[in-house]
Amino acid sequence: MSTKAYFNGEIGNYDEMSIPLSDRSVFYGDAVYDAVLVLNKKPFTLGLHLDRLYRSCELTDIRFTMPREKLVEEIDRLLAVSEGDSLMLYLQVTRGAAPRKHEYPANTEPNLIMFLAPTKLPPKDKRASLLGIEDLRFQYCNIKTTNLMPNVFAAEKATKAGATEAMLHRGARVTEGAHSSILMIKDGTVVMPPLDELVLPGITRKVIHSLCDRHGIPVSLREFSVDELMAADEIILCSTTKNVIYVYEIDGVAVGGKDRALAQRIQALFLDEVYRETGARI
């Protein structure tokens, strides 16, 4: 099964496509991106992902002027030539190609890169573990840019330690994972970190928040510490690639397992939402 890719209107095989060496994403990581789960050729929560993509462009002053309707048409073109029932759609908007210089020229035209690749989702009963790592990222974590080296280092360290994901923290404050959101359940309330410049506005997290509001499950947006997380009734790890799974261990210490009924209800509500939008049971 070949992976299909897209660059500024051209579609081809992923390994055969190319971008200009002068693209600013090459030298500066001067680009934003998003990733969307596609099941049965239907992108899940595409509108929310495009909201975040265009917002990321706005926050980084990347003048991406393609109308949303046109972008959806280009996504549909790529979907039409792709194979597989479980795919990940990657979209990247770069500032464009220009001579290497830190300051960016005002007239640079953004480049649009996309690809669709097969993805394997974790089973819903996967038991996840976290490794605590100091959060060394810069203070634009709310923008989904391609400047991901601290995330890469954290994810690699967690994997080498045998953990599912990194638990990033700034001092005592828990922020998120290297590529996922970390939520906790305490006394029947879902606690989520506030959406400030240190936390990415995760799409799966947003869906969970909406589902909790619709089904009468209390949600609290506030900072919480590593110690609070360790004492939580349940810990949820969620993202586009992980869906909703439970954490059973942090730094080798058993955690959670005290309110599995509520955790399972939240997971079931999320999976029902996936089915409602895509027709796929996962």
Side-chain angles (χ1 to χ4, degrees):
M1 182 186 302
S2 62
T3 298
K4 297 299 181 182
Y6 170 108
F7 179 71
N8 287 353
E10 180 183 352
I11 295 176
N13 291 328
Y14 180 88
D15 292 333
E16 298 170 359
M17 299 289 287
S18 61
I19 67 170
L21 182 61
S22 59
D23 189 279
R24 286 180 60 89
S25 65
V26 175
F27 296 111
Y28 299 111
D30 195 355
V32 299
Y33 78 101
D34 225 292
V36 186
L37 178 64
V38 178
L39 301 171
N40 293 337
K41 296 293 183 79
K42 297 177 181 177
F44 178 58
T45 60
L46 178 61
L48 295 178
H49 284 279
L50 295 187
D51 287 345
R52 187 170 63 181
L53 180 69
Y54 278 94
R55 179 61 174 160
S56 293
C57 288
E58 179 184 345
L59 291 171
T60 52
D61 198 26
I62 293 177
R63 298 176 178 88
F64 184 54
T65 59
M66 179 181 288
R68 286 174 64 115
E69 296 79 7
K70 176 62 176 175
L71 178 53
V72 172
E73 288 178 6
E74 296 301 278
I75 291 171
D76 287 341
R77 284 183 58 215
L78 185 58
L79 278 170
V81 297
S82 299
E83 303 173 353
D85 295 327
S86 180
L87 303 168
M88 194 60 62
L89 167 65
Y90 180 89
L91 306 97
Q92 178 170 306
V93 180
T94 83
R95 195 175 302 280
R100 189 187 183 282
K101 183 181 179 182
H102 280 70
E103 300 83 2
Y104 50 88
N107 60 351
T108 301
E109 288 292 325
N111 289 325
L112 174 61
I113 301 167
M114 300 190 289
F115 68 83
L116 273 160
T119 189
K120 187 175 181 181
L121 298 171
K124 64 181 182 180
D125 58 350
K126 178 179 175 60
R127 301 174 72 233
S129 57
L130 302 178
L131 179 71
I133 299 174
E134 186 69 27
D135 191 344
L136 300 176
R137 299 171 299 167
F138 68 168
Q139 290 187 315
Y140 291 106
C141 300
N142 56 313
I143 307 173
K144 201 167 178 67
T145 77
T146 56
N147 294 277
L148 296 173
M149 287 307 293
N151 304 64
V152 169
F153 293 150
E156 177 68 10
K157 186 174 180 180
T159 297
K160 283 185 175 179
T164 306
E165 170 64 301
M167 176 195 68
L168 300 179
H169 57 90
R170 295 187 184 244
R173 178 190 170 183
V174 176
T175 50
E176 56 192 348
H179 41 81
S180 53
S181 299
I182 298 174
L183 319 177
M184 73 176 190
I185 296 174
K186 188 65 176 179
D187 298 329
T189 296
V190 179
V191 184
M192 303 181 176
L195 290 177
D196 57 16
E197 73 282 359
L198 302 181
V199 175
L200 180 74
I203 300 302
T204 304
R205 164 197 161 126
K206 185 179 181 71
V207 173
I208 291 173
H209 193 167
S210 176
L211 289 169
C212 287
D213 287 346
R214 282 155 49 189
H215 293 273
I217 300 171
V219 175
S220 174
L221 299 179
R222 65 171 178 85
E223 296 181 13
F224 54 83
S225 68
V226 174
D227 287 345
E228 283 184 278
L229 189 66
M230 298 292 291
D233 297 333
E234 295 289 350
I235 302 168
I236 292 175
L237 193 63
C238 63
S239 70
T240 296
T241 55
K242 292 181 175 62
N243 286 328
V244 178
I245 54 178
Y246 317 128
V247 175
Y248 74 96
E249 182 181 279
I250 299 177
D251 294 341
V253 178
V255 295
K258 302 169 188 171
D259 195 351
R260 193 48 50 92
L262 181 53
Q264 289 177 338
R265 184 184 178 202
I266 291 169
Q267 184 189 64
L269 288 171
F270 179 80
L271 295 180
D272 284 345
E273 189 72 7
V274 173
Y275 176 73
R276 184 191 65 78
E277 192 165 326
T278 68
R281 286 290 184 191
I282 55 177

